[in-house]
Structures are given as C-alpha cells and as structure tokens.
C-alpha cells in the first residue's frame, strides 16, 4: 500500500486553508494549522514530508515560522513552500534566503501546477 505524503498547510485564512486542503487531499495526507505557532507545534508532532506556509499571518509571520523550522535539525532540509499573494521581488528573495524551497502565488493558483511542484520537492524514499 502506497502512503500519501504528509502535507502541513499553515494559513490564517480559514476559507483559503480549507480550499487548498480540500484540493490537495487526493494526493496528500493533509494536516492544517491556523497560524505559525500552531503550525510549528503540529510539525513537531506530525513530522510532515512537506509544508505549505502562508507568508503573511498574525502572530508569527510565515518568514518567522520558516526560520524557526530551519533551526530544527530534523526540519533543516524539509521542503517548505511559501504561499502568498505578495509578489514583490524583495519578499520572494527574503523567503528564499530564509530557506524556502519554493514560492507560490495565491493569485491565479493552478491546482495541477501546485500538486506537481509539491510532489517534485518531496524526496523519493528508496527501499533496500
């Protein structure tokens, strides 16, 4: 039996979070978090294969949450994709410099493209 990769979706917009989660459930085992602090806590208990993280949130921003994830040895190389409506070059550069694996814009979000980008970031597990 093939297991779906575990995806943690962290977004403070409940409607958008539900929409993205619903869309991705066919391909991933989805866990949701409403903000960076809850996302960090969930990641410690669930250990996702990949994280989809909103950039602008109340409390811990996506950038702050990303940095906290990268401080943990077991999450230092975990694929983390920033999801935001902010397309400013400076914001994109900050996210990549802080350790984001990819950067996806919410506006014009294409389901097939998102799934493909996420799946390509997950390391293939080789069995001996």
């Amino acid at each position: 039996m093939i297991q779906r990769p575990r995806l943690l979706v962290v977004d403070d917009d409940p409607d958008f979070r539900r929409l993205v989660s619903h869309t991705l459930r066919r391909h991933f085992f989805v866990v949701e978090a409403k903000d960076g602090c809850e996302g960090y806590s969930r990641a410690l208990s669930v250990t996702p294969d990949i994280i989809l993280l909103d950039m602008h949130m109340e409390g811990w921003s996506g950038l702050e949450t990303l940095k906290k994830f990268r401080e943990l040895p077991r999450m230092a190389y975990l694929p983390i994709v920033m999801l935001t409506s902010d397309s400013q070059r400076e914001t994109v550069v900050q996210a990549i410099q802080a350790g984001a694996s990819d950067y996806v814009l919410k506006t014009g979000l294409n389901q097939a493209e998102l799934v493909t980008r996420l799946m390509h970031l997950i390391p293939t597990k080789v069995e001996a």
Side-chain angles (χ1 to χ4, degrees):
M1 181 174 162
I2 298 173
Q3 282 189 299
R4 292 176 291 164
R6 289 177 309 277
L7 168 69
L8 174 60
V9 177
V10 184
D11 196 307
D12 61 345
D13 179 339
D15 295 329
F16 189 81
R17 187 177 63 244
R18 277 191 294 274
L19 175 67
V20 168
S21 296
H22 177 73
T23 299
L24 297 174
R25 284 192 202 286
R26 284 187 186 161
H27 306 279
F28 300 92
F29 174 77
V30 179
V31 176
E32 297 181 23
K34 65 182 181 213
D35 58 37
C37 185
E38 182 180 54
Y40 185 81
S41 176
R42 295 254 167 114
L44 292 176
S45 63
V46 173
T47 312
D49 294 304
I50 190 165
I51 297 173
L52 192 57
L53 179 61
D54 185 21
M55 187 71 163
H56 299 290
M57 297 182 287
E58 292 293 321
W60 293 4
S61 71
L63 200 57
E64 186 177 1
T65 305
L66 173 63
K67 289 175 182 177
K68 289 185 183 296
F69 281 136
R70 292 300 185 222
E71 290 172 358
L72 296 172
R74 71 179 177 166
M75 293 193 193
Y77 300 103
L78 183 77
I80 300 176
V81 176
M82 302 306 291
L83 180 67
T84 187
S85 54
D86 186 346
S87 62
Q88 292 182 13
R89 183 178 305 271
E90 180 181 322
T91 306
V92 175
V93 169
Q94 285 178 334
I96 299 299
Q97 286 177 339
S101 307
D102 200 354
Y103 195 93
V104 177
L105 292 176
K106 287 181 177 181
T107 52
L109 186 63
N110 177 286
Q111 175 184 346
E113 178 186 349
L114 180 60
V115 169
T116 301
R117 289 172 88 161
L118 293 174
M119 292 301 253
H120 276 105
L121 287 171
I122 298 172
T124 305
K125 295 178 182 172
V126 179
E127 302 211 9

